Amino acid sequence: MIDFQAIFDTTNHFLLKYLGLSVFKSLVLVGITLLHVAYTTYAERKIIGHMQQRLGPNRVGPRGLLQPIADVLKLIHKEDIIPSCVDSPGVFKLAPFISLVAGATSLSVIPIWEHFVITNVNIGLLVVLAMSSLSSFGVILAGWASNSRYSFLGGLRASAQVISYEIAMALALVGVMMLAGSMNLVDIVKAQISSPYKVYLIPQIIGFFVFMVAAIAETNRTPFDLPEAESELVAGYFVEYSGIRFALFYLAEYFGMIVMCMLAVVCFLGGWYGPFEVPGVPFFWFLVKLYFLIFFYIWVRATLPRYRYDQLMGLGWKVLIPLSLLNIAITGLIKILV
Amino acid sequence: MEGLLPKLVFVYLGIALVATSLLVVTNKNAVHAVLWMLVMFLHQAVLFIMLDAEFLAAVQIIVYAGAVLVLFLFVVYMINLRTELRINNFTVVWPGALLVSVALLLLSVQAIKTFKPAPPVGDMTTEKIIKVGHAKLLGKALFTEHVLSFEAVGVLLLVAVLGAVVLTRRIRLKGEGV
């Protein structure tokens, strides 16, 4: 059994002493998340393959396990084409980075376990919301800068969709804030464990439902992937991107998905706590819950067909927002009565 | 704000804020102007963080950068301002505008000369803000002391929402069906 905590503490102490920064923590977290992103794409292709009676990738390496690495190498080697009539090349080049940086910054406030959070800020929940709303800029600007009809339509759809679903998502999280009495993510996890329900999934079941639906829409995944609907818009906002810039968009999408799943684990499923402690691996339960939610995301993609645009807007404004408001009222009642 | 580093950061923020605001108003390309405004809002958020107002910083990014600017971009998209617009109506009066600006500058310099920070209102002292947290104190003050103005603002916003709905709804004549 390896004592992760001891190794981690010594290395971090060393780096803090000589560099004054928790560079190590950040690098570890970003590195691990990048690996997760790579293998989430593999898992997605494999799982959807099996759900559709296919094999999925199985050529590169044993059972196709090296497929994500081959994909990354291929994308890095490809020529980076910038169309000649893009509207301002600066914005065109900047757009994928905005998406990716906004997605990755959220990682810095999410606690993996009690002693592993890069910056434990008091308004952690708001930081994640702010970053997820900023990441939409990448999509919108990519759509505008490409100067292509498909991209433009994708960008337009993305801006409307993200604004509508952001409200529902933030309102769904208000219930969690009210129950925990804090916006600090570590405090939220601790408040969950000390509450009689152990996880906020039980008193916040409506909030959890609204949050998951809004998170899928926020990250532009099926069944809400209208900004990149391949049957209508080819690939939506990133039609004109190729090579490494295309890869950055892909990365940003999966980063967003993983961050949303982490946030759901922290806010609704009790974070790193589990029914029993696994010695040596304090983040075991966090990972189990995270993998389940990622599987859920993939499962939804394989199961549900894409929404029509007016249905999407109707669902956001007429169903999810009233539901989350109702959830806030119910949570207030629980707070008063219990 | 003691020490050299906060002062340097403040100077940088001040210069960046003024420069980006100028870029916003002088840019001919509407989308670029909105982008510079995004940069300006981010600097403003950092300024709020420097003043220990982390809640305001987050709200600044969520509301202004995340929602209002996206709506701006949406509108710019809709009217499709790709070509550069040259409207002289607003630029011919620049001498008058300059005069007003200089006068305002002089006025603010005079005002700043005798400026002293206001004493904390009620129990909102700096120590308490750092101890309890900005969001908690602000929420408490908003829902107890200032509840009437809070409600009034809520009603005002509701009126604005209803107004927008009424303006955009097509007027249906009788017999045209629902």
Side-chain angles (χ1 to χ4, degrees):
Chain A
M1 204 62 65
I2 314 159
D3 192 357
F4 279 98
Q5 175 116 36
I7 297 173
F8 174 75
D9 279 346
T10 36
T11 359
N12 203 41
H13 179 73
F14 179 79
L15 278 162
L16 265 177
K17 201 173 172 188
Y18 293 104
L19 285 174
L21 285 166
S22 53
V23 182
F24 180 68
K25 263 186 184 176
S26 322
L27 281 181
V28 165
L29 194 58
V30 170
I32 290 176
T33 317
L34 278 175
L35 263 181
H36 270 83
V37 167
Y39 278 91
T40 306
T41 61
Y42 171 76
E44 178 160 28
R45 291 165 75 177
K46 260 309 203 208
I47 292 170
I48 290 185
H50 282 294
M51 283 177 177
Q52 297 170 344
Q53 311 276 308
R54 299 183 281 116
L55 282 178
N58 64 347
R59 291 287 137 185
V60 194
R63 292 173 172 272
L65 267 173
L66 297 178
Q67 185 68 45
I69 295 163
D71 284 344
V72 170
L73 286 178
K74 183 192 81 177
L75 284 168
I76 290 174
H77 277 282
K78 267 188 156 181
E79 191 189 352
D80 177 25
I81 302 167
I82 296 176
S84 57
C85 49
V86 292
D87 229 307
S88 64
V91 179
F92 186 83
K93 285 177 191 163
L94 190 70
F97 289 100
I98 297 180
S99 281
L100 184 60
V101 169
T105 313
S106 306
L107 283 177
S108 63
V109 292
I110 293 180
I112 310 296
W113 104 81
E114 202 174 343
H115 301 288
F116 197 109
V117 46
I118 293 174
T119 47
N120 188 5
V121 290
N122 273 336
I123 49 159
L125 205 52
L126 286 184
V127 172
V128 177
L129 284 177
M131 287 304 143
S132 84
S133 63
L134 279 187
S135 68
S136 66
F137 270 102
V139 173
I140 297 165
L141 290 174
W144 176 77
S146 301
N147 203 2
S148 139
R149 284 194 176 41
Y150 295 124
S151 306
F152 187 67
L153 275 175
L156 262 185
R157 286 181 178 187
S159 53
Q161 179 177 329
V162 167
I163 285 189
S164 332
Y165 279 85
E166 211 174 70
I167 302 170
M169 198 171 82
L171 285 178
L173 288 173
V174 167
V176 174
M177 292 180 208
M178 283 166 76
L179 277 187
S182 168
M183 287 187 276
N184 184 323
L185 290 170
V186 177
D187 286 353
I188 287 178
V189 174
K190 284 183 180 160
Q192 282 182 59
I193 298 308
S194 55
S195 74
Y197 323 102
K198 297 298 173 202
V199 286
Y200 281 166
L201 179 64
I202 301 158
Q204 290 290 315
I205 184 76
I206 307 174
F208 182 66
F209 169 74
V210 172
F211 176 81
M212 282 315 282
V213 177
I216 293 174
E218 187 86 0
T219 45
N220 298 328
R221 299 262 313 170
T222 332
F224 306 110
D225 61 342
L226 282 122
E228 45 190 286
E230 60 270 10
S231 48
E232 312 157 28
L233 298 179
V234 194
Y237 56 89
F238 56 81
V239 184
E240 305 294 340
Y241 285 85
S242 59
I244 190 69
R245 289 181 207 285
F246 170 80
L248 286 178
F249 267 123
Y250 217 74
L251 211 60
E253 185 185 325
Y254 280 88
F255 249 106
M257 180 174 140
I258 288 179
V259 164
M260 284 299 155
C261 290
M262 282 178 167
L263 193 61
V265 170
V266 168
C267 288
F268 294 100
L269 301 180
W272 58 88
Y273 287 100
F276 56 89
E277 266 192 35
V278 180
V281 196
F283 43 82
F284 176 78
W285 289 107
F286 186 91
L287 288 183
V288 168
K289 293 165 189 170
L290 180 67
Y291 293 158
F292 174 74
L293 284 184
I294 291 175
F295 173 75
F296 173 75
Y297 252 75
I298 297 169
W299 189 11
V300 165
R301 177 176 166 187
T303 311
L304 296 174
R306 185 177 300 130
Y307 270 72
R308 217 172 53 215
Y309 197 71
D310 57 322
Q311 290 173 332
L312 173 92
M313 284 293 147
L315 180 71
W317 288 98
K318 292 179 197 159
V319 179
L320 291 185
I321 292 179
L323 261 183
S324 50
L325 288 174
L326 178 75
N327 182 44
I328 292 176
I330 293 174
T331 314
L333 279 180
I334 292 179
K335 255 309 224 203
I336 293 170
L337 294 178
V338 179
Chain B
M1 285 208 290
E2 289 108 35
L4 186 65
L5 191 67
K7 271 181 192 147
L8 279 179
V9 175
F10 181 76
V11 168
Y12 161 71
L13 285 173
I15 294 172
L17 276 172
V18 172
T20 44
S21 326
L22 280 177
L23 278 167
V24 171
V25 288
T26 52
N27 220 310
K28 291 266 165 59
N29 190 324
V31 173
H32 286 180
V34 174
L35 265 185
W36 282 116
M37 203 189 261
L38 173 66
V39 177
M40 191 185 88
F41 281 159
L42 293 180
H43 278 97
Q44 237 170 7
V46 178
L47 193 65
F48 279 136
I49 289 177
M50 275 189 65
L51 298 170
D52 281 329
E54 73 269 3
F55 180 73
L56 281 187
V59 166
Q60 165 87 11
I61 292 184
I62 294 174
V63 175
Y64 284 95
V68 172
L69 275 192
V70 173
L71 286 176
F72 273 19
L73 274 181
F74 201 74
V75 171
V76 173
Y77 272 8
M78 281 301 188
I79 52 179
N80 208 358
L81 276 179
R82 268 172 196 276
T83 48
E84 296 182 352
L85 275 180
R86 217 174 248 285
I87 302 171
N88 287 327
N89 296 359
F90 298 112
T91 48
V92 286
V93 289
W94 70 267
L98 194 67
L99 198 73
V100 172
S101 317
V102 171
L104 269 179
L105 190 69
L106 287 176
L107 211 64
S108 25
V109 167
Q110 282 300 320
I112 286 170
K113 260 187 190 167
T114 54
F115 173 79
K116 48 177 163 335
V121 182
D123 56 348
M124 293 181 88
T125 52
T126 323
E127 295 82 49
K128 197 166 180 197
I129 289 176
I130 291 169
K131 207 178 129 207
V132 184
H134 191 229
K136 209 170 211 167
L137 264 179
L138 201 68
K140 214 168 194 173
L142 209 60
F143 283 102
T144 52
E145 242 177 277
H146 305 285
V147 70
L148 191 67
S149 26
F150 183 78
E151 295 283 334
V153 170
V155 172
L156 205 66
L157 285 174
L158 189 68
V159 170
V161 170
L162 288 180
V165 171
V166 168
L167 282 178
T168 49
R169 228 177 70 121
R170 248 180 296 138
I171 296 164
R172 291 194 187 85
L173 296 172
K174 259 186 188 174
E176 215 181 338
V178 184

